[in-house]
């Protein structure tokens, strides 16, 4: 690891906050994932929902509009400011906080969501235990990660089994993330004691014309892998 994971995410997402916010909202695939995640947690009225790595906050909106009390946390102060300016009137609290070590009390949330944010930590075991700690008994944790096949499609000769730290450049900024195979996610979740309620590989909803990367059209493979987990013990 070159730098503390949290500080690295903070620095890179602060640098790209405006650009990221704009592109994330223009992305049909991401909007579809947000709706799917919302449906997985309904009904949400009067529930306490935490979004970790909430970015510029759009993923919190459906929950707040439908009666949930929502908190969004992110490493980037720039994204948290954008989120607060856009959505605080909906009663959502946005805070700069590391999801590996939160300031919340035990058993605070009915539901926690993580959309494309959990890949920025080396120690996923520790993150899962922290999220389990702050979930209420029978609470649900929905984790969305990029589907591992995407790396194979994006990078010719990518080794599916080469898990660990990876470097990716987006809009001239280089970021690090931790790539994991499906088997590794499964093992880590099992060790955390959270129970796996379902595993989803949704068919992507994409803007046309479809992009073709390395001769493979983007609508022909899953873009996201979704784990629906539950805290079963008391
Ligand atoms: C790919 S973006 C996804 C943002 C949002 N969930 C979305 O789908 O638009 C990843 C987000 O995770 C945040 N993040 C990365 N590491 C974090 C950490 N340790 N604690 C809190 N947020 C983190 C980044 O700042 C960034 O906003």
């Amino acid at each position: 690891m070159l730098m503390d994971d949290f500080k690295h995410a903070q620095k890179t997402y602060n640098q790209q906050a405006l650009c990221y916010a704009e592109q994330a909202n223009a992305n049909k695939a991401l909007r579809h994932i947000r709706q799917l995640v919302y449906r997985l947690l309904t009904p949400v009225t009067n529930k306490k929902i935490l979004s970790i790595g909430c970015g510029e906050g759009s993923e919190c909106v459906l929950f707040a509009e439908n009666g949930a009390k929502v908190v969004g946390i992110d490493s980037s102060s720039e994204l948290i400011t954008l989120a607060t300016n856009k959505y605080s009137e909906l009663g959502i609290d946005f805070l700069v906080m590391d999801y590996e070590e939160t300031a919340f009390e035990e058993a605070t949330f009915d539901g926690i969501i993580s959309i494309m944010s959990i890949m920025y930590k080396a120690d996923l075991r520790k993150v899962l235990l922290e999220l389990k700690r702050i979930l209420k008994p029978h609470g649900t944790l929905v984790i969305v990660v990029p589907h591992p096949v995407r790396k194979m499609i994006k990078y010719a000769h990518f080794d599916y089994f080469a898990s660990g730290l990876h470097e990716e450049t987006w809009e001239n900024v280089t970021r690090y993330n931790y790539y994991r195979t499906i088997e590794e996610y499964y093992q880590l979740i099992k060790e955390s004691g959270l129970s796996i309620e379902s595993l989803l590989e949704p068919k992507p909803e994409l803007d046309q014309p479809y992009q073709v990367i390395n001769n493979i059209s983007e609508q022909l493979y899953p873009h996201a892998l979704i784990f629906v987990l539950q805290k079963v013990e008391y």
Side-chain angles (χ1 to χ4, degrees):
M1 190 178 66
L2 304 173
M3 191 198 265
D4 171 87
D5 288 332
F6 179 78
K7 287 200 180 120
H8 174 71
Q10 186 164 57
K11 183 169 171 240
T12 52
Y13 278 97
N14 271 345
Q15 271 174 289
Q16 296 185 304
L18 279 176
C19 175
Y20 181 78
E22 203 174 290
Q23 298 219 12
N25 277 327
N27 185 323
K28 185 175 177 184
L30 196 52
R31 289 201 305 274
H32 173 234
I33 294 290
R34 287 174 185 156
Q35 283 161 8
L36 191 57
V37 168
Y38 167 72
R39 286 202 299 273
L40 287 167
L41 283 165
T42 48
V44 298
T45 315
N46 296 325
K47 284 192 183 162
K48 286 194 84 174
I49 304 290
L50 173 69
S51 160
I52 64 161
C54 65
E56 49 69 68
S58 297
E59 65 196 36
C60 301
V61 171
L62 271 176
F63 292 94
E65 284 178 344
N66 287 284
K69 179 67 199 138
V70 189
V71 181
I73 63 170
D74 200 276
S75 60
S76 162
S77 51
E78 297 289 330
L79 285 168
I80 286 296
T81 301
L82 286 176
T84 305
N85 290 343
K86 270 165 101 176
Y87 302 123
S88 60
E89 68 193 26
L90 292 174
I92 308 172
D93 291 325
F94 291 104
L95 306 162
V96 175
M97 200 185 288
D98 187 348
Y99 55 60
E100 184 177 281
E101 214 167 335
T102 72
F104 303 113
E105 284 182 13
E106 208 172 312
T108 299
F109 296 100
D110 299 285
I112 302 178
I113 64 167
S114 165
I115 303 184
M116 305 294 181
S117 72
I118 214 132
M119 320 78 69
Y120 297 102
K121 281 283 180 180
D123 192 350
L124 190 53
R125 249 182 219 96
K126 203 170 158 199
V127 175
L128 290 171
L129 289 177
E130 174 62 359
L131 300 180
K132 186 177 154 197
R133 184 186 73 76
I134 61 176
L135 259 187
K136 290 183 187 173
H138 304 298
T140 303
L141 167 60
V142 178
I143 297 178
V144 182
V145 292
H147 199 291
V149 299
R150 276 176 71 181
K151 288 255 196 223
M152 305 200 66
I153 285 155
K154 210 162 156 191
Y155 305 107
H157 312 299
F158 184 85
D159 175 1
Y160 178 83
F161 302 101
S163 55
L165 191 64
H166 280 250
E167 193 179 285
E168 242 161 346
T169 300
W170 187 74
E171 303 283 341
N172 300 322
V173 173
T174 299
R175 278 205 288 263
Y176 304 96
N177 57 60
Y178 297 87
Y179 164 80
R180 296 176 175 95
T181 65
I182 298 178
E183 185 175 317
E184 281 171 322
Y185 277 118
Y186 175 79
Q187 279 303 334
L188 287 162
I189 291 166
K190 214 172 147 209
E191 285 168 27
S192 75
L194 288 157
S195 99
I196 301 184
E197 299 302 298
S198 48
L199 171 64
L200 309 169
E201 294 175 298
K203 193 171 167 55
E205 281 198 9
L206 303 159
D207 289 310
Q208 293 201 41
Y210 299 126
Q211 284 181 41
V212 176
I213 301 168
N214 288 327
N215 289 328
I216 304 176
S217 179
E218 63 174 350
Q219 92 276 24
L220 299 178
Y221 55 88
H223 289 216
L225 181 62
I226 306 182
F227 296 94
V228 184
L229 312 176
Q230 206 182 27
K231 177 170 170 174
V232 281
E233 80 269 40
Y234 293 89

